[in-house]
Amino acid sequence: MDVFRLGLFLLITVGVSAELQPLNAAVLRGSEARFNCSRTLTSSVMTWTVNGVLVVTITEASGVLNPTERFSVTNFTTPGNYKWEFTIRNVQRNDTEVGCQLTNEGIQRATLSVQERGSVEIVGGNQTKAEGAQADFQCRAVGWFPEPSMSWSVNGAEQSCNRSSVTEGSVFNSSCTLTVTAIRNSSVQCLVTIPALLTPESNTAFLTVNKITKRDQTVLIAITVAFSAAALLFLIIYGIVFFCLRRKKKSGYQEEIKRAQVQAQNRTPASQNVRGRDNRGYITDGHDGHTTDGVWFTNFNRPQNLDEFFEEGPRKHRHMTLV
């Protein structure tokens, strides 16, 4: 009998106790926060507090007292479940604790975490790389509270990264870098989240890969070979022309020397003939051309060359006397 009474007492005590849900809530600054306070039995008075300050009172006789635009309550009571929902609008960073208290019971408290969502940016945006090259993507999360979690997704596959953060005032600025090998065209997504977000904030960039095909390599090789052959042919032709010009110049120089020698040889006898004729033109026979008896005249035939002069020997003179 005593055991039965003890169990009934515990059942009634538990049923009377109020239940506050959730005990820990995380919301974004400027949004709404909602809490439910309920029990199985009706209470004559229910009060709600924020950071220990009374903001709303509910009485069985008078209903809701002192509601405001920012703090309000909604009745969700059903048979056997006395339940009210408390709403905070335009939540601020200093809204940290919510309390619910029923008549003759202790206060139930819940913690409220007000968080801030910043921006997400992939520095540089889209990239184009040659196949096999490395591509670095940097993600920046600016103006977040608390410090955000960051990760990458490449074609839907999650990739971790090393995060670094600095504080600026009451918020965090974080960054995370991802290195990708350019193998195929890819979608690169940066994911940033905090507990207050149901889904992460994200930003997406695209990696375009320029692939080097075998055909491209063949064309490149063909162009290289053609250029090399043309350069070699040019050098050969230039060498032949240079050799021919030099040989012609050398041959012309030798011909000029020979021509000068021949001309010198031809001029030497001619000068000697002229001097021989000048010497033979002056001949004397021992007379001065005058006598006491008359005039002497000397007549001779001039030889054609020097040899005839010496072959004729002493000249014969014919004298004519005029009386």
Side-chain angles (χ1 to χ4, degrees):
M1 185 69 177
D2 293 336
V3 175
F4 175 75
R5 289 178 179 177
L6 179 61
L8 181 61
F9 174 77
L10 292 175
L11 179 62
I12 293 173
T13 303
V14 173
V16 171
S17 298
E19 181 180 7
L20 179 61
Q21 293 292 338
L23 294 178
N24 293 285
V27 296
L28 294 175
R29 183 173 66 87
S31 64
E32 296 182 352
R34 300 176 184 273
F35 297 87
N36 293 311
C37 190
S38 63
R39 74 173 182 173
T40 57
L41 298 179
T42 302
S43 174
S44 58
V45 178
M46 175 184 285
T47 60
W48 289 91
T49 61
V50 176
N51 297 333
V53 178
L54 179 64
V55 292
V56 175
T57 300
I58 306 169
T59 66
E60 189 175 2
S62 303
V64 180
L65 302 177
N66 305 321
T68 63
E69 184 178 354
R70 188 161 181 258
F71 305 110
S72 63
V73 291
T74 303
N75 189 1
F76 287 98
T77 300
T78 59
N81 185 22
Y82 180 70
K83 179 179 180 181
W84 287 81
E85 183 182 73
F86 175 61
T87 302
I88 306 175
R89 295 180 178 85
N90 191 22
V91 177
Q92 301 300 311
R93 288 282 296 273
N94 57 354
D95 298 332
T96 58
E97 182 186 87
V98 174
C100 173
Q101 187 174 17
L102 300 177
T103 305
N104 301 324
E105 294 184 11
I107 187 171
Q108 304 294 315
R109 292 184 175 88
T111 301
L112 177 61
S113 174
V114 181
Q115 304 178 4
E116 295 198 37
R117 173 175 53 191
S119 62
V120 181
E121 175 191 10
I122 297 178
V123 179
N126 301 333
Q127 295 189 35
T128 300
K129 296 290 183 179
E131 186 176 11
Q134 298 292 321
D136 293 329
F137 292 90
Q138 183 183 23
C139 180
R140 295 186 61 196
V142 179
W144 292 76
F145 180 84
E147 185 178 3
S149 297
M150 303 181 70
S151 62
W152 288 90
S153 174
V154 180
N155 295 327
E158 186 173 352
Q159 304 285 334
S160 61
C161 67
N162 294 324
R163 179 187 60 189
S164 61
S165 298
V166 295
T167 58
E168 183 176 345
S170 61
V171 296
F172 288 87
N173 296 333
S174 303
S175 64
C176 181
T177 301
L178 173 71
T179 300
V180 180
T181 301
I183 299 176
R184 60 191 178 97
N185 296 339
S186 302
S187 172
V188 180
Q189 188 176 43
C190 176
L191 306 172
V192 181
T193 188
I194 51 178
L197 290 177
L198 298 179
T199 57
E201 288 289 307
S202 64
N203 199 321
T204 304
F206 295 94
L207 172 62
T208 302
V209 179
N210 288 333
K211 293 189 175 182
I212 302 176
T213 62
K214 293 183 178 179
R215 181 177 180 181
D216 294 337
Q217 293 177 345
T218 303
V219 172
L220 180 61
I221 293 173
I223 293 174
T224 303
V225 171
F227 179 79
S228 300
L232 180 60
L233 181 61
F234 172 79
L235 292 175
I236 292 175
I237 294 174
Y238 178 79
I240 293 174
V241 171
F242 179 78
F243 176 77
C244 292
L245 290 176
R246 187 169 181 179
R247 185 174 181 181
K248 183 178 181 181
K249 183 177 180 181
K250 184 176 181 180
S251 176
Y253 178 73
Q254 292 176 347
E255 292 293 333
E256 187 67 23
I257 293 175
K258 291 180 179 179
R259 189 179 299 109
Q261 292 175 348
V262 171
Q263 292 177 354
Q265 291 174 358
N266 292 337
R267 284 196 301 268
T268 300
S271 61
Q272 291 175 353
N273 292 337
V274 172
R275 288 193 299 270
R277 287 195 298 270
D278 292 341
N279 291 336
R280 290 182 301 169
Y282 180 76
I283 301 174
T284 179
D285 55 0
H287 299 281
D288 57 0
H290 298 276
T291 63
T292 57
D293 296 330
V295 179
W296 293 85
F297 293 92
T298 301
N299 185 16
F300 61 91
N301 294 324
R302 182 177 294 178
Q304 297 297 322
N305 53 53
L306 189 60
D307 295 334
E308 295 178 8
F309 177 81
F310 290 103
E311 289 176 358
E312 291 178 355
R315 289 192 176 274
K316 297 178 181 180
H317 300 274
R318 186 173 56 182
H319 305 278
M320 182 177 60
T321 302
L322 298 179
V323 180

